[in-house]
């Protein structure tokens, strides 16, 4: 049990006096809590700090661990180049962690660093810890596009690595909460923002880390959260350990949630192995969703799974399909999600086969194997996939963006032979301007070119 404690801290540069220049007083409660957390870390007397940050190198399919002997950083990006510090990396621990990750089938390592400078998500915690007298080597680790459980499993690898070397370790999970708490905040307001922050701070206060793993992905996206995956790694590092949680402060003065919490490790606790609980909950949720699928979605699943498992496309339709699937032709899109993230989406704007059913069969195969943004779907991913099918109405030309509604209509932007399409009612597409811009860019059409617009309605099946 080499991990003796952990802290969750935010990283607003304004709380550094040389950056805030007096405005830091507006979030004095956060600063006071930061000092208290840093004092607690000093009392734990760590030999190494594990720092996870949303602002260091991040890849969709790889956990980046900072290479080299050490790094330096400053607050020049925030107008205070005189405020700087240097850190030493624990190279031996890094090697052991990379081996642990490889053994666990987790894609992690030191490749791909473009800028070795300390990011502000790492700098801010170290700034306060240095003030408290904590000056030991660190490991800096980035987040990824992997699932919550994969972040948790990386945390488990971290725990095994520090145990193997007997390093007295404190985990520092750097991350702000929602960025959408106020209309006059830097990112505006979304109702999901306060909901997200309330749930996360409840988890901090209670020590119920299962909540970090089971937050609804769409809620997180709409809340524009920052640090949840950092907290998930921390939870994995504390797997099987009893903790004494303390939420020291929470505030959203500037429209961004800042939470400060400490977790003192008090001994082993087999009931706090959240991986198994999370897996069971996810299996139950997916089974319930699958049981409720309608014929459109069931056909997409059957087509995709048949192709992935056999390498062949369906050559006959299943019996009992509704006449509206087999008796008319229309364009259709098949979208795949895994762990709350898009995993593939391919479709046709108009009919290319004899019926909607065959359109779904064809496009399900394309979504899993031909979307250039993703590697082909593997057989071991099938149980985690969630499907949606959009059947398109006939596009109609429009004269103005005023005739669009992002919730009701999809849009097609055309210029010559180039076309870009965007479906309606998508997460994070809130304005007509966004909708047109995304569709235009998908079609390789510049804003300076003359283009035409069409709109269409869809019937969405999930």
């Amino acid at each position: 049990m080499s991990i003796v404690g952990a802290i969750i801290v935010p990283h607003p540069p304004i709380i550094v006096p040389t950056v805030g220049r007096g405005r830091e007083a507006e979030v004095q409660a956060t600063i006071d809590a930061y000092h208290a957390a840093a004092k607690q870390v000093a009392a734990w007397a760590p030999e190494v700090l594990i720092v996870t940050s949303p602002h260091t190198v991040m890849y969709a399919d790889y956990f980046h661990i900072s290479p080299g002997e050490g790094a330096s950083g400053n607050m020049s990006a925030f107008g205070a180049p005189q405020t700087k510090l240097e850190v030493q990396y624990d190279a031996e621990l890094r090697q052991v962690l990379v081996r642990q990750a490889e053994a666990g089938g987790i894609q992690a390592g030191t490749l791909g660093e473009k800028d070795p400078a300390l990011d502000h998500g790492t700098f801010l915690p170290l700034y306060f810890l240095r003030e408290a007298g904590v000056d030991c080597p660190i490991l800096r680790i980035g987040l990824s596009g992997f699932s919550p459980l994969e972040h948790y499993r990386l945390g488990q690898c971290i725990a095994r690595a520090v145990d193997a070397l007997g390093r007295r370790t404190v985990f520092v999970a750097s991350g702000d909460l929602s960025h959408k708490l106020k209309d006059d905040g830097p990112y505006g307001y979304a109702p999901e923002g306060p909901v997200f922050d309330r749930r996360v701070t409840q988890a901090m206060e209670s020590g119920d880390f299962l909540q970090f793993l089971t937050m609804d992905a769409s809620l997180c996206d709409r809340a524009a959260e920052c640090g949840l995956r950092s907290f998930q790694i921390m939870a994995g590092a504390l797997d099987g350990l009893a903790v004494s949680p303390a939420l020291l402060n929470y505030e959203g003065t500037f429209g961004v949630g800042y939470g400060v919490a400490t977790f003192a490790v008090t001994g082993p606790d087999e009931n706090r192995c959240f991986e198994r609980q999370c897996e069971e909950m996810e299996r139950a949720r997916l089974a319930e969703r699958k049981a409720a699928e309608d014929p459109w979605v069931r056909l997409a699943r059957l087509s995709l799974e048949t192709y992935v498992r056999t390498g062949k496309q369906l050559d006959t339709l299943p019996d009992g399909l509704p006449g509206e699937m087999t008796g008319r032709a229309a364009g259709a899109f098949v979208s795949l999600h895994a762990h709350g993230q898009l995993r593939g989406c391919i479709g046709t704007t108009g009919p290319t086969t004899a019926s909607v059913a065959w359109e779904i069969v064809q496009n399900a195969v394309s979504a899993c194997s031909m979307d250039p943004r993703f590697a082909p779907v593997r057989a071991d991913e099938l149980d985690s996939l969630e499907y949606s099918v959009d059947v398109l109405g006939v596009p109609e030309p429009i004269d103005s963006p005023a005739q669009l509604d992002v919730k009701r209509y999809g849009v097609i932007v055309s210029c010559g032979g180039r076309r870009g399409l965007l479906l309606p009612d998508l997460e994070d597409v809130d304005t007509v301007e966004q909708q047109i811009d995304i569709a235009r860019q998908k079609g390789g059409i510049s804003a300076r070119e003359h283009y035409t617009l069409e709109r269409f309605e869809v019937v969405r099946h999930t």
Side-chain angles (χ1 to χ4, degrees), residues 203-223:
M204 292 179 186
E205 188 170 29
S206 65
D208 180 8
F209 297 159
L210 184 60
Q211 292 191 55
F212 292 152
L213 301 175
T214 56
M215 295 280 285
D216 181 76
S218 62
L219 170 69
C220 298
D221 288 342
R222 292 187 180 277

Side-chain angles (χ1 to χ4, degrees), residues 129-167:
L129 289 169
R130 289 287 176 86
E131 284 194 339
V134 180
D135 186 7
C136 60
I138 76 166
L139 280 190
R140 178 172 55 151
I141 302 172
L143 314 181
S144 79
F146 289 132
S147 69
L149 270 177
E150 200 76 351
H151 285 78
Y152 190 88
R153 288 164 182 151
L154 178 66
Q156 293 174 310
C157 291
I158 291 169
R160 288 193 291 269
V162 297
D163 282 346
L165 293 177
R167 296 277 200 273

Side-chain angles (χ1 to χ4, degrees), residues 100 206 317 334:
Q100 288 287 346
S206 65
L317 295 175
V334 175

Side-chain angles (χ1 to χ4, degrees), residues 230-249:
S230 198
F231 312 156
Q232 291 165 353
I233 301 174
M234 180 202 76
L238 298 174
D239 178 73
L241 297 176
V243 298
S244 176
L247 177 62
L248 303 184
N249 189 65

Side-chain angles (χ1 to χ4, degrees), residues 272-309:
R272 292 182 58 80
C273 298
F274 296 107
E275 178 183 19
R276 183 172 61 254
Q277 297 177 49
C278 183
E279 288 176 329
E280 291 171 355
M281 290 179 64
E282 182 67 1
R283 278 195 295 270
R285 185 188 70 81
L286 290 171
E288 182 178 357
R289 181 182 172 101
K290 183 176 179 180
E293 290 173 349
D294 68 11
W296 285 260
V297 175
R298 285 201 299 272
L299 179 60
R301 180 185 291 277
L302 175 64
S303 173
L304 187 150
E305 291 186 349
T306 298
Y307 179 79
V308 171
R309 290 189 169 117

